Amino acid sequence: QALPAVEIVPGNEIYDYESKYTAGMSQYLVPAPLEPEQASRLAEIAVQVQHTLRLGSYGRIDFRLDERDGSFSCLEANSLPGLTATSLVPKSAGAAGISFPELCERIALSAVRGQSAAAARA
């Protein structure tokens, strides 16, 4: 399941260490202000990347939006994104109505299902 996209508005000129890890230094717009078609397409691409790279129970796929033509460029796939107060995955989950404890439970159950499926294939 793709969670809502997050737009990062850094407090500094670029999204540097200070902007990322100092509470209040950046704004996080969740869900990102995208057209419905853009949000849907981005979610579709993110899920495809997650499956193609076999990232397992959860991950975070980072994109940039080209405002000239509306296309997305994949920057990176994070196979083990943070789950802290300043992390993006919990912010996105919260926007989808998923509490932090529920998010952790979903991740754990997904990991267990993935291991069970892998054992069955072996």
Side-chain angles (χ1 to χ4, degrees):
Q1 169 190 354
L3 296 173
V6 178
E7 179 179 349
I8 302 168
V9 181
N12 292 330
E13 186 176 337
I14 61 170
Y15 191 54
D16 59 7
Y17 187 88
E18 182 183 30
S19 293
K20 184 174 183 176
Y21 292 107
T22 304
M25 278 294 297
S26 294
Q27 290 181 296
Y28 301 94
L29 308 178
V30 190
L34 298 169
E35 294 297 323
E37 302 80 28
Q38 287 178 305
S40 178
R41 178 69 180 135
L42 184 59
E44 182 182 297
I45 296 167
V47 169
Q48 287 175 346
V49 170
Q50 180 81 8
H51 287 278
T52 299
L53 297 178
R54 299 179 184 182
L55 294 182
S57 56
Y58 85 114
R60 191 189 74 235
I61 314 300
D62 296 347
F63 294 90
R64 290 211 32 109
L65 171 63
D66 186 328
E67 296 197 22
R68 294 171 295 173
D69 65 7
S71 66
F72 294 101
S73 297
C74 184
L75 295 176
E76 71 171 323
N78 187 328
S79 62
L80 193 58
L83 293 174
T84 68
T86 58
S87 297
L88 300 178
V89 171
K91 290 178 190 321
S92 185
I98 302 168
S99 68
F100 186 72
E102 183 182 351
L103 174 64
C104 292
E105 182 177 6
R106 286 183 181 202
I107 291 168
L109 290 173
S110 177
V112 167
R113 282 192 303 271
Q115 286 186 345
S116 296
R121 288 189 303 267

